[in-house]
Amino acid sequence: MTDTLIIAPSILAADFSRIGDDVKAVDTAGADWIHLDVMDGHFVPNLTFGPPLIKALRPLSQKTFDTHLMVSNPDLLLAEYATAGSDIITVHAEACQHLDRTLSHIRELGCKAGVSLNPHTPIDGLQHVLDRLDLILVMTVNPGFGGQSFIDTMLDKIAAVKAMIGDRPIIIEADGGITANNAAKVFAAGARALVAGSAVFKGTSYAENITAIRAAAAS
Ligand code: DX5
Ligand code: ZN
């Protein structure tokens, strides 16, 4: 398992009236990745943005663009998400009829391939595509909205994913409800990429918020 701690602010919680400034601000504040939540109003009730916005943000940061597709038909626009500047493209297992093919396609496009699991989705099945995977995103809230509470039972799931991947160079990412108060147990369970929206884009100092999550995870 890859062991470096990664803090990935989700711009879902940014100020959409000045989203470019917020991307630059979290980059400067110490974000490792920029997490981009794409929602289609179908796989999840909410709607956010697509490739044009990602493309517009791309020149503003050199950080890894971590694109999380909460969409029903991810295959339709994979090339556009890659061309827009995504470094990682994560699809939901629940949305993929042919997950093996989708993951291979993402890698062929030159991106790292991720799979996300909703809270109720078992990890069984992923064992057959581990050689196609760079990242497993464990949803720690039900996808669709920021600002929800972390689901504690997902800690066992993260630990089960960790046991399943063994020595493979696969990053475990946890997404939803992550704060400085729970980052330590999320990290201890095995997650190494921590997505945080509300806990980063609050108050007056994004740097302090990121530092607090990082310090808590490392403690
Ligand atoms: C949920 C998204 C998340 C989430 C993070 O559907 O995938 O990235 O909004 O935001 P917080 O940290 O506010 O839960
Ligand atoms: Zn996300």
Side-chain angles (χ1 to χ4, degrees):
M1 198 183 72
T2 305
D3 220 41
T4 315
L5 173 64
I6 292 154
I7 304 293
S10 164
I11 63 162
L12 183 63
D15 180 344
F16 275 26
S17 71
R18 50 182 196 88
I19 195 159
D21 291 342
D22 260 358
V23 167
K24 287 192 265 187
V26 283
D27 177 320
T28 306
D32 299 300
W33 293 356
I34 306 294
H35 186 79
L36 301 148
D37 283 312
V38 175
M39 304 185 185
D40 67 349
H42 188 268
F43 182 73
V44 292
N46 212 353
L47 270 170
T48 55
F49 50 79
L53 184 83
I54 296 172
K55 188 177 176 190
L57 296 177
R58 186 64 276 190
L60 306 181
S61 169
Q62 300 300 310
K63 302 286 169 72
T64 292
F65 269 25
D66 175 32
T67 299
H68 177 193
L69 298 182
M70 287 163 277
V71 305
S72 291
N73 294 300
D75 296 296
L76 295 179
L77 285 177
L78 287 179
E80 283 78 357
Y81 285 107
T83 306
S86 303
D87 297 293
I88 303 167
I89 299 178
T90 296
V91 295
H92 267 261
E94 305 86 0
C96 294
Q97 298 239 357
H98 304 285
L99 183 60
D100 181 283
R101 180 185 293 153
T102 301
L103 295 172
S104 299
H105 188 194
I106 293 170
R107 282 185 167 177
E108 284 160 18
L109 290 166
C111 297
K112 299 224 183 270
V115 174
S116 180
L117 302 173
N118 283 335
H120 76 280
T121 304
I123 69 169
D124 307 338
L126 290 193
Q127 69 215 40
H128 304 296
V129 290
L130 291 177
D131 62 330
R132 302 270 191 277
L133 272 180
D134 301 292
L135 177 146
I136 296 174
L137 188 165
V138 176
M139 286 305 308
T140 46
V141 299
N142 286 287
F145 302 96
Q148 303 180 81
S149 298
F150 182 86
I151 301 172
D152 264 311
T153 51
M154 292 302 107
L155 293 170
D156 288 344
K157 187 175 188 178
I158 291 168
V161 170
K162 182 181 178 189
M164 179 178 69
I165 65 179
D167 292 336
R168 294 175 182 84
I170 296 174
I171 296 172
I172 303 176
E173 183 168 40
D175 184 6
I178 309 270
T179 68
N181 293 328
N182 57 29
K185 54 188 182 181
V186 177
F187 185 85
R192 291 296 174 268
L194 307 187
V195 177
S198 334
V200 169
F201 291 95
K202 65 171 189 180
T204 51
S205 172
Y206 299 162
E208 276 177 22
N209 297 340
I210 290 171
T211 301
I213 297 167
R214 198 187 296 284
S219 70

mmCIF file of all heavy atoms in Angstrom, residues 10 12 35-39 66-70 92 116 137 139 143 173-176 195, ligand 2:
data_model
loop_
_atom_site.group_PDB
_atom_site.id
_atom_site.type_symbol
_atom_site.label_atom_id
_atom_site.label_comp_id
_atom_site.label_asym_id
_atom_site.label_seq_id
_atom_site.Cartn_x
_atom_site.Cartn_y
_atom_site.Cartn_z
ATOM 1 N N SER A 10 -11.884 19.213 -1.379
ATOM 2 C CA SER A 10 -12.947 19.101 -2.386
ATOM 3 C C SER A 10 -13.490 20.481 -2.677
ATOM 4 O O SER A 10 -14.032 21.149 -1.783
ATOM 5 C CB SER A 10 -14.079 18.223 -1.866
ATOM 6 O OG SER A 10 -15.223 18.434 -2.674
ATOM 7 N N LEU A 12 -16.048 21.206 -4.015
ATOM 8 C CA LEU A 12 -17.507 21.275 -3.835
ATOM 9 C C LEU A 12 -17.861 22.292 -2.754
ATOM 10 O O LEU A 12 -18.916 22.924 -2.801
ATOM 11 C CB LEU A 12 -18.028 19.882 -3.442
ATOM 12 C CG LEU A 12 -19.528 19.715 -3.276
ATOM 13 C CD1 LEU A 12 -20.246 19.971 -4.597
ATOM 14 C CD2 LEU A 12 -19.868 18.323 -2.761
ATOM 15 N N HIS A 35 -9.516 17.900 -5.301
ATOM 16 C CA HIS A 35 -10.578 16.901 -5.516
ATOM 17 C C HIS A 35 -11.762 17.568 -6.216
ATOM 18 O O HIS A 35 -12.299 18.570 -5.733
ATOM 19 C CB HIS A 35 -11.004 16.319 -4.171
ATOM 20 C CG HIS A 35 -11.977 15.191 -4.250
ATOM 21 N ND1 HIS A 35 -11.595 13.901 -4.551
ATOM 22 C CD2 HIS A 35 -13.312 15.151 -4.071
ATOM 23 C CE1 HIS A 35 -12.666 13.098 -4.539
ATOM 24 N NE2 HIS A 35 -13.725 13.847 -4.252
ATOM 25 N N LEU A 36 -12.148 16.988 -7.352
ATOM 26 C CA LEU A 36 -13.179 17.595 -8.210
ATOM 27 C C LEU A 36 -14.400 16.682 -8.249
ATOM 28 O O LEU A 36 -14.363 15.603 -8.854
ATOM 29 C CB LEU A 36 -12.596 17.780 -9.619
ATOM 30 C CG LEU A 36 -11.340 18.678 -9.657
ATOM 31 C CD1 LEU A 36 -10.386 18.249 -10.750
ATOM 32 C CD2 LEU A 36 -11.720 20.133 -9.807
ATOM 33 N N ASP A 37 -15.474 17.108 -7.612
ATOM 34 C CA ASP A 37 -16.689 16.290 -7.498
ATOM 35 C C ASP A 37 -17.649 16.579 -8.640
ATOM 36 O O ASP A 37 -18.311 17.620 -8.664
ATOM 37 C CB ASP A 37 -17.381 16.581 -6.159
ATOM 38 C CG ASP A 37 -16.683 15.891 -4.998
ATOM 39 O OD1 ASP A 37 -16.398 14.690 -5.114
ATOM 40 O OD2 ASP A 37 -16.434 16.569 -3.986
ATOM 41 N N VAL A 38 -17.729 15.624 -9.555
ATOM 42 C CA VAL A 38 -18.625 15.759 -10.707
ATOM 43 C C VAL A 38 -19.930 15.017 -10.406
ATOM 44 O O VAL A 38 -19.912 13.816 -10.125
ATOM 45 C CB VAL A 38 -17.965 15.177 -11.976
ATOM 46 C CG1 VAL A 38 -18.948 15.211 -13.151
ATOM 47 C CG2 VAL A 38 -16.683 15.920 -12.310
ATOM 48 N N MET A 39 -21.043 15.725 -10.439
ATOM 49 C CA MET A 39 -22.358 15.127 -10.149
ATOM 50 C C MET A 39 -23.311 15.419 -11.299
ATOM 51 O O MET A 39 -23.318 16.533 -11.829
ATOM 52 C CB MET A 39 -22.926 15.720 -8.852
ATOM 53 C CG MET A 39 -22.007 15.559 -7.658
ATOM 54 S SD MET A 39 -22.816 16.156 -6.169
ATOM 55 C CE MET A 39 -21.480 15.979 -4.970
ATOM 56 N N ASP A 66 -7.828 15.336 -9.048
ATOM 57 C CA ASP A 66 -8.427 14.072 -8.609
ATOM 58 C C ASP A 66 -9.933 14.157 -8.903
ATOM 59 O O ASP A 66 -10.683 14.720 -8.120
ATOM 60 C CB ASP A 66 -8.134 13.961 -7.099
ATOM 61 C CG ASP A 66 -8.765 12.773 -6.428
ATOM 62 O OD1 ASP A 66 -8.919 11.724 -7.075
ATOM 63 O OD2 ASP A 66 -9.097 12.893 -5.219
ATOM 64 N N THR A 67 -10.315 13.600 -10.052
ATOM 65 C CA THR A 67 -11.693 13.763 -10.522
ATOM 66 C C THR A 67 -12.557 12.590 -10.081
ATOM 67 O O THR A 67 -12.262 11.434 -10.403
ATOM 68 C CB THR A 67 -11.706 13.909 -12.060
ATOM 69 O OG1 THR A 67 -10.952 15.070 -12.424
ATOM 70 C CG2 THR A 67 -13.128 14.039 -12.591
ATOM 71 N N HIS A 68 -13.612 12.896 -9.349
ATOM 72 C CA HIS A 68 -14.507 11.888 -8.766
ATOM 73 C C HIS A 68 -15.838 11.972 -9.508
ATOM 74 O O HIS A 68 -16.607 12.916 -9.303
ATOM 75 C CB HIS A 68 -14.665 12.206 -7.268
ATOM 76 C CG HIS A 68 -15.612 11.310 -6.540
ATOM 77 N ND1 HIS A 68 -16.074 11.595 -5.272
ATOM 78 C CD2 HIS A 68 -16.192 10.128 -6.876
ATOM 79 C CE1 HIS A 68 -16.894 10.639 -4.870
ATOM 80 N NE2 HIS A 68 -16.992 9.743 -5.828
ATOM 81 N N LEU A 69 -16.082 10.986 -10.367
ATOM 82 C CA LEU A 69 -17.269 11.006 -11.211
ATOM 83 C C LEU A 69 -18.445 10.329 -10.514
ATOM 84 O O LEU A 69 -18.506 9.096 -10.444
ATOM 85 C CB LEU A 69 -16.988 10.302 -12.546
ATOM 86 C CG LEU A 69 -15.907 10.919 -13.435
ATOM 87 C CD1 LEU A 69 -15.793 10.136 -14.742
ATOM 88 C CD2 LEU A 69 -16.199 12.387 -13.712
ATOM 89 N N MET A 70 -19.364 11.112 -10.025
ATOM 90 C CA MET A 70 -20.614 10.576 -9.458
ATOM 91 C C MET A 70 -21.682 10.713 -10.536
ATOM 92 O O MET A 70 -22.579 11.568 -10.463
ATOM 93 C CB MET A 70 -20.972 11.352 -8.178
ATOM 94 C CG MET A 70 -20.056 10.992 -7.013
ATOM 95 S SD MET A 70 -20.120 12.204 -5.683
ATOM 96 C CE MET A 70 -18.962 13.413 -6.313
ATOM 97 N N HIS A 92 -17.668 5.245 -10.130
ATOM 98 C CA HIS A 92 -18.364 4.450 -9.114
ATOM 99 C C HIS A 92 -18.607 3.048 -9.638
ATOM 100 O O HIS A 92 -19.127 2.871 -10.748
ATOM 101 C CB HIS A 92 -19.687 5.127 -8.720
ATOM 102 C CG HIS A 92 -19.507 6.015 -7.540
ATOM 103 N ND1 HIS A 92 -19.833 5.622 -6.255
ATOM 104 C CD2 HIS A 92 -18.991 7.250 -7.437
ATOM 105 C CE1 HIS A 92 -19.532 6.603 -5.409
ATOM 106 N NE2 HIS A 92 -19.024 7.605 -6.097
ATOM 107 N N SER A 116 -14.768 3.994 -6.869
ATOM 108 C CA SER A 116 -15.406 4.413 -5.625
ATOM 109 C C SER A 116 -16.537 3.461 -5.270
ATOM 110 O O SER A 116 -17.212 2.920 -6.159
ATOM 111 C CB SER A 116 -15.945 5.841 -5.780
ATOM 112 O OG SER A 116 -16.555 6.251 -4.569
ATOM 113 N N LEU A 137 -11.614 4.511 -3.652
ATOM 114 C CA LEU A 137 -12.218 5.591 -2.871
ATOM 115 C C LEU A 137 -13.383 5.007 -2.069
ATOM 116 O O LEU A 137 -14.370 4.547 -2.650
ATOM 117 C CB LEU A 137 -12.710 6.709 -3.813
ATOM 118 C CG LEU A 137 -13.211 8.018 -3.189
ATOM 119 C CD1 LEU A 137 -13.306 9.093 -4.255
ATOM 120 C CD2 LEU A 137 -14.532 7.882 -2.492
ATOM 121 N N MET A 139 -16.416 5.763 0.055
ATOM 122 C CA MET A 139 -17.314 6.858 0.442
ATOM 123 C C MET A 139 -17.630 6.716 1.924
ATOM 124 O O MET A 139 -18.112 5.672 2.369
ATOM 125 C CB MET A 139 -18.622 6.811 -0.349
ATOM 126 C CG MET A 139 -18.548 7.258 -1.798
ATOM 127 S SD MET A 139 -17.872 8.913 -2.115
ATOM 128 C CE MET A 139 -18.827 9.955 -1.025
ATOM 129 N N PRO A 143 -22.951 9.704 -1.328
ATOM 130 C CA PRO A 143 -22.517 10.762 -2.234
ATOM 131 C C PRO A 143 -23.656 11.682 -2.640
ATOM 132 O O PRO A 143 -24.820 11.298 -2.655
ATOM 133 C CB PRO A 143 -21.995 9.978 -3.448
ATOM 134 C CG PRO A 143 -22.701 8.677 -3.410
ATOM 135 C CD PRO A 143 -22.909 8.374 -1.949
ATOM 136 N N GLU A 173 -8.497 6.049 -0.582
ATOM 137 C CA GLU A 173 -8.968 7.418 -0.370
ATOM 138 C C GLU A 173 -10.285 7.355 0.406
ATOM 139 O O GLU A 173 -11.123 6.489 0.141
ATOM 140 C CB GLU A 173 -9.191 8.092 -1.738
ATOM 141 C CG GLU A 173 -9.622 9.555 -1.676
ATOM 142 C CD GLU A 173 -9.545 10.223 -3.060
ATOM 143 O OE1 GLU A 173 -9.914 9.581 -4.070
ATOM 144 O OE2 GLU A 173 -9.113 11.394 -3.122
ATOM 145 N N ALA A 174 -10.447 8.242 1.366
ATOM 146 C CA ALA A 174 -11.704 8.336 2.119
ATOM 147 C C ALA A 174 -12.325 9.687 1.815
ATOM 148 O O ALA A 174 -11.622 10.706 1.758
ATOM 149 C CB ALA A 174 -11.452 8.189 3.613
ATOM 150 N N ASP A 175 -13.631 9.698 1.597
ATOM 151 C CA ASP A 175 -14.297 10.906 1.102
ATOM 152 C C ASP A 175 -15.644 11.096 1.790
ATOM 153 O O ASP A 175 -16.558 10.290 1.616
ATOM 154 C CB ASP A 175 -14.479 10.772 -0.416
ATOM 155 C CG ASP A 175 -15.080 12.021 -1.051
ATOM 156 O OD1 ASP A 175 -15.256 13.023 -0.347
ATOM 157 O OD2 ASP A 175 -15.353 11.971 -2.263
ATOM 158 N N GLY A 176 -15.735 12.191 2.546
ATOM 159 C CA GLY A 176 -17.005 12.575 3.136
ATOM 160 C C GLY A 176 -16.939 12.689 4.638
ATOM 161 O O GLY A 176 -16.606 11.725 5.335
ATOM 162 N N VAL A 195 -10.067 13.227 1.609
ATOM 163 C CA VAL A 195 -10.796 14.313 0.953
ATOM 164 C C VAL A 195 -11.500 15.113 2.044
ATOM 165 O O VAL A 195 -12.106 14.529 2.942
ATOM 166 C CB VAL A 195 -11.848 13.750 -0.020
ATOM 167 C CG1 VAL A 195 -12.660 14.884 -0.658
ATOM 168 C CG2 VAL A 195 -11.183 12.895 -1.103
HETATM 169 ZN ZN ZN B 2 -15.721 13.291 -3.790
#
